[in-house]
Amino acid sequence: MKKLIATLLMALVVALPAAAGEKCDGAGEDCLAKMKAKYAEKAWLGIEYDKAEEGRWAVKKVHANSPADEAGFEAGDVLLSMQGVDYTKENKKAIKEVYAMVKPGTEVEYVVKRQGAKVELDATLAHVPKDLQKKWVAEHMKKYHPDVQVAAAN
């Protein structure tokens, strides 16, 4: 169970920012309602990332006052593991499954590589801030459902 939770939490970092770019097959209004409900319940770490070496992800930005900021994440950290589960592209499916189970308030243990050394960080995940929810929904709607007014995503 611990491994499953860790894998889902990985998706927190991977899936949330990417979700605004997901292609969906639903009608615009249905999609809008589903996305609003989804983001209202999602947990958030508060980092932005880029691909890094060996199929891992590197932190490119830590949002101020986010769980990541409070835990001590820094730009340049390379995500190695979460709750003991490796952060690799090979774990992508399992990560998404774990992410589906994670709720705000969950405390998560991360291991990052910082300047060649392993650093352990504990973060208590939060709700996705409203402004980010609105931004991600609006971006998705504009790209995949231009027939639905962007203002409706707010």
Side-chain angles (χ1 to χ4, degrees):
M1 182 67 172
K2 189 174 185 180
K3 196 169 190 175
L4 176 63
I5 290 171
T7 304
L8 284 175
L9 290 176
M10 167 54 184
L12 172 65
V13 174
V14 175
L16 258 183
E22 289 177 356
K23 181 164 182 169
C24 69
D25 298 324
E29 293 296 334
D30 292 339
C31 182
L32 178 61
K34 287 178 185 177
M35 288 185 77
K36 283 182 174 182
K38 173 183 167 181
Y39 288 136
E41 298 300 319
K42 286 295 181 188
W44 181 67
L45 177 61
I47 66 170
E48 294 178 23
Y49 59 89
D50 280 325
K51 291 181 183 176
E53 74 235 21
E54 301 170 8
R56 297 188 186 276
W57 293 271
V59 176
K60 79 175 184 184
K61 178 181 177 182
V62 178
H63 288 266
N65 303 313
S66 69
D69 187 24
E70 293 172 12
F73 279 82
E74 296 179 5
D77 287 347
V78 176
L79 302 168
L80 299 178
S81 69
M82 176 184 56
Q83 301 290 82
V85 175
D86 284 342
Y87 259 94
T88 61
K89 63 182 176 182
E90 290 79 21
N91 284 341
K92 190 174 182 177
K93 182 179 179 183
I95 289 166
K96 285 184 178 184
E97 291 171 0
V98 172
Y99 177 57
M101 295 173 40
V102 175
K103 301 292 181 207
T106 303
E107 185 172 314
V108 181
E109 179 183 287
Y110 294 88
V111 177
V112 301
K113 182 169 70 173
R114 182 180 295 159
Q115 299 175 351
K118 289 184 179 180
V119 177
E120 292 183 16
L121 302 168
D122 294 320
T124 300
L125 305 177
H127 287 274
V128 178
K130 296 278 187 199
D131 61 327
L132 284 178
Q133 291 180 36
K134 290 176 182 180
K135 178 183 176 197
W136 295 338
V137 169
E139 287 172 352
H140 176 90
M141 298 306 290
K142 183 177 180 182
K143 184 173 183 177
Y144 295 107
H145 306 284
D147 56 310
V148 177
Q149 292 182 2
V150 175
N154 294 321

